[in-house]
Amino acid sequence: TLMEDQLNLFEDIVSIDTSQGTKICTICKQEKAVTSFERASYRKDGTLVYKNQCIKCIHHHRIFRKEIWKENSPPDNHVCPICLRNNEELLADMNPQSTVRQTWVADHDHNLMQFRGWLCSKCNMAMGGLDDDIKLLENAIKYLKENQNNS
């Protein structure tokens, strides 16, 4: 059915079941004790939710991102290569009560640890939410095309 096809578009790739006291890091793909992960929040039932990346990988990525910012900066008059918005448009779109006014994000390949370029935060989160997986992005495009007349 169409509903089953849609549900299969975004299948879970890694385990997030923490009932056994372990979790698989989405970066290094290693199963580690949940104590190796930062706490993210609490569920309504009071159980802890942990981040999907282990503390070691998060630390490594923070250092890598700082190096990118030291060695590069978004070019003047930069436009996001995905949404085609410039800095002024991005700032105008931001919540005026936002405490962080960062428009550009250093996009990088998490597996190869290589800088790819500058994206706006929204586009970077969209790609990251689909694990930079071309197949998942294609599935998302297919889904939107098939359902564009439903809205």
Side-chain angles (χ1 to χ4, degrees), residues 6 13 22-23 27-28 37 53 59 69-70 72 87-89 95 105 107 128 134 136 138 141 146:
Q6 290 174 356
I13 298 170
T22 62
K23 184 175 172 112
I27 296 174
C28 67
F37 296 82
Q53 300 85 22
H59 179 71
W69 275 96
K70 281 182 188 176
N72 304 279
N87 199 58
E88 291 74 28
E89 292 167 315
N95 181 339
V105 176
D107 178 50
I134 292 171
L136 292 178
E138 288 171 345
I141 292 166
E146 289 173 353

Side-chain angles (χ1 to χ4, degrees), residues 20-147:
Q20 300 299 314
T22 62
K23 184 175 172 112
I24 298 174
C25 175
T26 58
I27 296 174
C28 67
K29 310 295 188 223
Q30 294 180 11
E31 184 172 0
K32 298 181 177 187
V34 291
T35 55
S36 298
F37 296 82
E38 290 180 2
R39 295 176 183 172
S41 62
Y42 289 91
R43 292 187 182 97
K44 288 182 180 180
D45 67 4
T47 57
L48 272 172
V49 176
Y50 295 90
K51 292 189 177 185
N52 290 326
Q53 300 85 22
C54 69
I55 293 169
K56 184 177 178 181
C57 287
I58 288 173
H59 179 71
H60 183 68
H61 273 79
R62 282 182 186 144
I63 292 170
F64 176 72
R65 286 192 305 265
K66 282 182 183 180
E67 289 300 315
I68 290 172
W69 275 96
K70 281 182 188 176
E71 296 171 9
N72 304 279
S73 62
D76 292 337
N77 302 317
H78 185 62
V79 173
C80 177
I82 296 175
C83 69
L84 305 178
R85 293 183 297 166
N86 63 31
N87 199 58
E88 291 74 28
E89 292 167 315
L90 294 169
L91 285 171
D93 246 5
M94 283 185 180
N95 181 339
Q97 296 174 346
S98 175
T99 56
V100 177
R101 311 251 332 139
Q102 181 179 354
T103 50
W104 303 115
V105 176
D107 178 50
H108 63 283
D109 183 309
H110 289 258
N111 296 321
L112 301 176
M113 297 299 286
Q114 291 180 338
F115 174 65
R116 291 190 287 214
W118 297 101
L119 298 178
C120 75
S121 181
K122 187 175 183 179
C123 290
N124 187 63
M125 284 192 293
M127 287 189 25
L130 294 175
D131 298 323
D132 296 339
D133 185 313
I134 292 171
K135 181 65 179 159
L136 292 178
L137 290 162
E138 288 171 345
N139 289 345
I141 292 166
K142 178 182 172 192
Y143 170 81
L144 288 172
K145 284 181 177 180
E146 289 173 353
N147 293 284

